[in-house]
Amino acid sequence: MSLIPRASNVRPGDKFDTIIVGLGPAAYSAALYAARYMLKTLVIGETPGGQLTEAGEVDDYLGLIGVQASEMIKLFNAHVEKYSVPILMDRVESFKREGEEYIVKTKRKGEYRASTIIVAVGTKRRKLNVPGENEFLGRGVSYCSVCDAPLFKNRPVVVVGGGNSALDGAELLSRYATKVYLVHRREEFRAQPIIVKLVKEKPNVEFILNSRVKEIRGDKLVRKVVVENLKTGEVREIEANGIFVEIGFEPPKDFAEVNDLETDEQGYIKVDEWTRTNLPGVFAAGDCTNMWIGFRQVATSTAMGAVAAHSAYNYLNERKGFRG
Ligand code: NAP
C-alpha cells in the first residue's frame, strides 16, 4: 500500500462532478462514496490523514481493534486508491461560483472546475497565547503528544487541557517522562471517563486543577512552566523540559469567510442534516462543521463524509444536464 497519492492524469482547468477539499477521514470517506456513486471526483489536500496523523492507537473505530492511526490512514488511502480517485497534494485557497460551476483555486497547481464541492478542511490547533509559547516552539513546546512524547524520555513535562487529547497525551507521556503535570483550568473533564480514571491511577501524574499556565520560561530549551491557581491566585513554578498544549482546536474561520460559507458564532461551517451549506452544491463534513461539536471522532467524520457524497450525488441528479 502506498501513501503517495496519484493525480497524474489531472490537469488545471479539468472539470469534476465533485471536488473534495481536505484529506482527513471525512474527505477519504466522501471520496470513497463519491467514487461508488461514479462521480468524477478530485480530492485536494496536503496531509493524508489530517489530524489522524497525530493520533496513536485508535480503539474506538468499529471493527478495527487497537489499530495504529498510521495504519488506519494507509487503509483509508488504499480503499480510495482502489477506486482510482485522484488525490492532488495541494491547498485550496478559494472557490467561486461561475454560472453552474465552481472554480476552485489552489495554492500551487492552478484552477479546477467542479459542479459540487465537499469541504472537509478540519480545524487548527488552539494556542495558549502566553509568553514563551512561540519562543520555545520546537524547543520544549509541542502541540502533539503522540508525535513528540519519546523526545521527553526521563524528563519532567507539563500537559495542558482537560479533553481527550490532553488525557490521552498525559497517559502516553507517563510512559516516557519522569513526571507529568496535568494542568487544567477546571475540576471537571471533557475527556471520556475511562481515560480520566486511567490517568488518575498513574503514580507519576500530578493533577494541577483550577489552574492556568501564565508563562513558559527557559534558555535554549524550556526549563520552567509558571502556573497560577485560578481560585487562590497562588503562583507555582514547575520545573519541566516540555509542555504539551492539548487545548482543542479552532474552526477554519478564514477559509469560511473567503468563500462566503455561513458559520455559527464560533466559526464552524453551518450544515444541515444532509451536510448542505448555505451555498448551492457545496457540502461540508467533519470537524470543520457545526455538527456534533465536542464529539469529534473518526466515526463521526467518516459518517459525515459519506452523507456529503450522497448529498452531492442527489444534488447533481436533480439538475438537468448532469451526465448528458
Ligand atoms: P476539547 O475536547 O475541546 O478540550 C479542550 C480542553 O482544553 C478543555 O478541557 C478546555 O477546558 C481546555 N481549554 C480550551 N481552551 C483553553 C485555554 N485557552 N486555556 C486552557 N485550557 C483550555 O479538545 P481535544 O481534547 O483536543 O479534543 C477535540 C475533539 O477531538 C473532541 O471532540 C474529542 O472528543 C476528540 N478526540 C477524541 C479522542 C478519542 O476519542 N480518543 C482523542 C482525542 C480527541 P474546558 O473543559 O474548561 O473548556
Side-chain angles (χ1 to χ4, degrees):
M1 276 181 289
S2 89
L3 244 188
I4 304 154
R6 279 176 271 267
S8 48
N9 297 330
V10 176
R11 300 276 171 265
D14 283 356
K15 169 91 191 271
F16 296 87
D17 295 328
T18 193
I19 287 183
I20 297 165
V21 186
L23 205 38
Y28 273 119
S29 178
L32 171 66
Y33 276 77
R36 289 181 58 86
Y37 278 118
M38 299 186 73
L39 300 183
K40 189 179 176 201
T41 303
L42 174 66
V43 183
I44 306 177
E46 284 186 308
T47 313
Q51 263 171 42
L52 203 49
T53 52
E54 299 178 356
E57 186 187 280
V58 179
D59 202 25
D60 51 14
Y61 195 81
L62 190 67
L64 295 181
I65 303 167
V67 67
Q68 285 300 314
S70 53
E71 190 56 31
M72 203 172 189
I73 297 166
K74 283 187 193 161
L75 290 169
F76 287 172
N77 204 66
H79 209 162
V80 167
E81 216 170 49
K82 177 184 166 192
Y83 289 87
S84 305
V85 178
I87 300 177
L88 196 69
M89 301 300 280
D90 204 341
R91 184 182 187 80
V92 169
E93 300 213 303
S94 62
F95 54 82
K96 72 169 188 298
R97 196 163 170 84
E98 277 185 14
E100 283 297 297
E101 65 182 26
Y102 285 95
I103 309 296
V104 177
K105 195 174 163 201
T106 71
K107 192 174 172 189
R108 295 184 288 275
K109 306 253 166 71
E111 294 184 348
Y112 301 85
R113 298 179 301 135
S115 304
T116 65
I117 292 178
I118 297 174
V119 177
V121 293
T123 48
K124 279 193 291 196
R125 287 197 169 268
R126 186 176 287 137
K127 293 185 131 200
L128 282 170
N129 295 320
V130 296
E133 186 179 19
N134 290 336
E135 190 185 340
F136 291 105
L137 180 65
R139 295 190 288 137
V141 174
S142 168
Y143 296 88
C144 180
S145 311
V146 173
C147 320
D148 297 336
L151 303 175
F152 294 85
K153 201 167 186 235
N154 298 327
R155 291 167 189 275
V157 297
V158 167
V159 176
V160 194
N164 280 316
S165 301
L167 274 289
D168 277 356
E171 195 282 325
L172 177 68
L173 279 155
S174 72
R175 300 189 227 165
Y176 294 95
T178 45
K179 172 112 186 182
V180 178
Y181 298 91
L182 182 83
V183 178
H184 176 38
R185 63 186 180 185
R186 296 190 296 143
E187 268 168 56
E188 297 77 27
F189 293 91
R190 286 177 195 274
Q192 291 171 0
I194 191 166
I195 181 77
V196 177
K197 180 173 179 289
L198 196 69
V199 177
K200 279 190 172 160
E201 286 165 0
K202 298 274 177 178
N204 63 338
V205 180
E206 181 180 332
F207 282 64
I208 303 181
L209 303 180
N210 300 310
S211 298
R212 71 168 185 117
V213 171
K214 264 188 92 173
E215 192 180 342
I216 300 161
R217 290 189 195 146
D219 36 50
K220 282 183 183 159
L221 301 169
V222 168
R223 301 282 172 206
K224 279 184 183 151
V225 176
V226 185
V227 171
E228 179 186 25
N229 186 302
L230 295 165
K231 287 203 164 155
T232 63
E234 186 198 333
V235 174
R236 177 174 167 189
E237 286 187 5
I238 298 170
E239 307 264 343
N241 299 122
I243 169 165
F244 290 82
V245 182
E246 300 272 15
I247 60 170
F249 297 84
E250 299 278 2
K253 272 188 200 159
D254 296 347
F255 186 86
E257 203 176 308
V258 163
N259 295 305
D260 295 327
L261 285 161
E262 200 183 319
T263 63
D264 68 4
E265 54 294 337
Q266 294 179 70
Y268 290 100
I269 299 165
K270 269 191 183 174
V271 289
D272 68 6
E273 75 273 28
W274 289 106
T275 74
R276 287 177 287 220
T277 70
N278 59 308
L279 303 177
V282 179
F283 307 87
D287 292 4
C288 63
T289 71
N290 68 336
M291 185 87 90
W292 302 324
I293 290 173
F295 189 57
R296 304 309 204 189
Q297 302 286 305
V298 182
T300 53
S301 284
T302 52
M304 276 188 90
V307 173
H310 174 79
S311 294
Y313 175 73
N314 281 346
Y315 173 89
L316 289 166
N317 262 345
E318 282 159 13
R319 256 144 200 84
K320 266 220 279 227
F322 174 55
R323 296 265 162 76

